[in-house]
Amino acid sequence: MSGDPVTGGAMTGYAVVVPTLARATLADCLAALAAATGPGPDEIVLVDDRPGPEADPAALEHPLTVLGDLRERTVVLRSGGRGPAAARNTGIRAVTSPWTAFLDDDVQVGPHWCDQLVQDLAEAAPDTGAVQGVIAVPLPGERRPTDWERGTAGLAQARWITADMAYRTDVLKQVRGFDERFPRAFREDADLALRVLDAGWRIRRGRRTTRHPVRDASRWVSLKQQRGNADDALMRRLHGPDWWAKAVAPRGRIRRHAAITAAGLAALALTAAGRPRAAAAAGLAWAAGTAEFAWARITPGPRTRDEIVTMLTTSALIPPAATWHRLTGEWRHRRAPAWREVAS
């Protein structure tokens, strides 16, 4: 661990950095922050990450008004639509407080969040580089959650997510902030935390709580999420083949997805080659793998007609999409050096 970590628990001044696409949830996020009891942030850095110069600034007018007295401590910066990692780095560069607390624009901090955050920071040992908040995801009580709702609920157990995460500002600068090669809100938080841990700092869980509602999403959202497989390829390059164990992350189904995709392609190729029996065997393997995947997603859900149709359709499309994104990620990041090689 380089540098002097003894900025200590006594220094609890903090800034709040919120990257945003000016979604409708932003106003509720800032209103909850303004209403929370306790010492407010020294500064709030709202980073508008909408692409292009034509982004309408009026979209932020109402969210800013809900801040009340905190409005005078708030600055709005632009990051040009380069993704949440780049947006947070833009915010970090503007922070002068000892601690930087990241919030996503679709969360709502608890009513005593400011008090609890300051307590979390005061109790941080000198070698503690970050303190994670406790995330609560409200789910419907009258029915089983959908596939999308279950995925969002997983955030409650996730490590180091920036939905509510406070870092020492000096530590962020020591490890050079977020890696902007992660263009999505996926894995960029785990990568940062692993680099902070590799630098000799500890990360602990605090007591403050933040609510993360399940936002509305398209029925195709699970298909879109497969882009994250390219980010998994980068994680493997940066942190080794066991990165998922280091990050306490689920290993996922990429190997099964690749096998299902290979079986489907083999069935098509064998059919074209005039080998019907071999094609049928490969097709059966594809169908069995797809059916198992679909059933694993349908069983715990509400099993409504709409949910079942969505699960069946996307379960057929996800394996090739996941495989494609993983392969493109491996190619794109094939020369990325390991983090420790860069840090040494």
Side-chain angles (χ1 to χ4, degrees):
M1 177 169 56
S2 62
D4 179 10
V6 190
T7 51
M11 296 185 66
T12 56
Y14 67 97
V16 172
V17 173
V18 184
T20 185
L21 295 174
R23 296 187 290 187
T25 55
L26 177 61
D28 289 338
C29 172
L30 297 182
L33 177 60
T37 61
D42 300 333
E43 47 196 332
I44 298 174
V45 184
L46 190 63
V47 186
D48 183 353
D49 195 43
R50 289 175 293 171
E54 68 280 0
D56 184 7
L60 297 178
E61 288 179 3
H62 170 64
L64 289 172
T65 62
V66 305
L67 283 169
D69 294 341
L70 291 178
R71 176 66 182 90
E72 62 186 22
R73 307 184 198 179
T74 303
V75 296
V76 179
L77 304 176
R78 295 291 303 276
S79 53
R82 294 180 292 128
R88 293 191 193 102
N89 284 343
T90 298
I92 293 167
R93 288 191 287 270
V95 169
T96 59
S97 301
W99 289 87
T100 300
F102 297 106
L103 295 174
D104 289 345
D105 70 353
D106 56 351
V107 304
Q108 298 158 17
V109 300
H112 308 293
W113 187 82
C114 294
D115 265 330
Q116 293 170 334
L117 172 62
V118 169
Q119 183 178 359
D120 285 344
L121 303 184
E123 293 175 353
D127 63 346
T128 297
V131 185
Q132 179 178 352
V134 177
I135 303 298
V137 180
L139 293 175
E142 72 282 1
R143 58 166 174 80
R144 294 179 178 182
T146 64
D147 181 69
W148 169 241
E149 290 166 341
R150 292 194 305 274
T152 304
L155 297 175
Q157 284 77 46
R159 296 287 187 98
W160 316 314
I161 60 172
T162 46
D164 182 353
M165 190 77 185
Y167 279 94
R168 293 188 191 272
T169 305
D170 287 346
V171 171
L172 290 170
K173 294 176 180 178
Q174 176 189 334
V175 300
R176 299 191 293 277
F178 291 86
D179 189 329
E180 297 181 13
R181 289 173 293 183
F182 291 94
R184 286 163 285 275
F186 190 68
R187 302 301 190 208
E188 84 293 354
D189 44 12
D191 165 70
L192 173 65
L194 289 180
R195 288 188 281 118
V196 168
L197 293 170
D198 280 348
W201 297 90
R202 293 193 305 141
I203 299 176
R204 59 177 289 265
R205 185 180 291 270
R207 297 188 181 92
R208 67 190 187 278
T209 59
T210 291
R211 183 172 178 266
H212 193 307
V214 179
R215 59 181 171 83
D216 293 335
S218 159
R219 69 189 305 169
W220 307 110
V221 64
S222 59
L223 191 60
K224 182 179 179 181
Q225 288 179 311
Q226 301 314 308
R227 297 174 183 173
N229 283 283
D231 304 316
D232 285 351
L234 179 56
M235 287 291 287
R236 187 177 186 278
R237 295 291 303 174
L238 295 175
H239 301 288
D242 62 341
W243 69 267
W244 54 274
K246 296 176 184 176
V248 198
R251 194 163 190 173
R253 282 178 164 258
I254 188 60
R255 292 183 179 181
R256 294 188 189 184
H257 290 333
I260 292 169
T261 302
L265 291 174
L268 294 174
L270 290 166
T271 299
R275 299 176 60 187
R277 289 186 180 180
L284 182 61
W286 172 86
T290 301
E292 183 277 329
F293 179 40
W295 185 241
R297 301 171 71 207
I298 292 170
T299 301
R303 303 190 197 179
T304 61
R305 179 179 178 180
D306 188 63
E307 176 79 353
I308 290 173
V309 170
T310 299
M311 293 300 97
L312 289 173
T313 306
T314 55
S315 293
L317 298 174
I318 283 174
T323 303
W324 170 257
H325 286 298
R326 182 56 181 262
L327 291 174
T328 57
E330 293 285 357
W331 176 258
R332 184 183 309 124
H333 303 300
R334 65 192 183 280
R335 295 191 178 92
W339 151 247
R340 288 180 178 176
E341 294 176 13
V342 175
S344 60

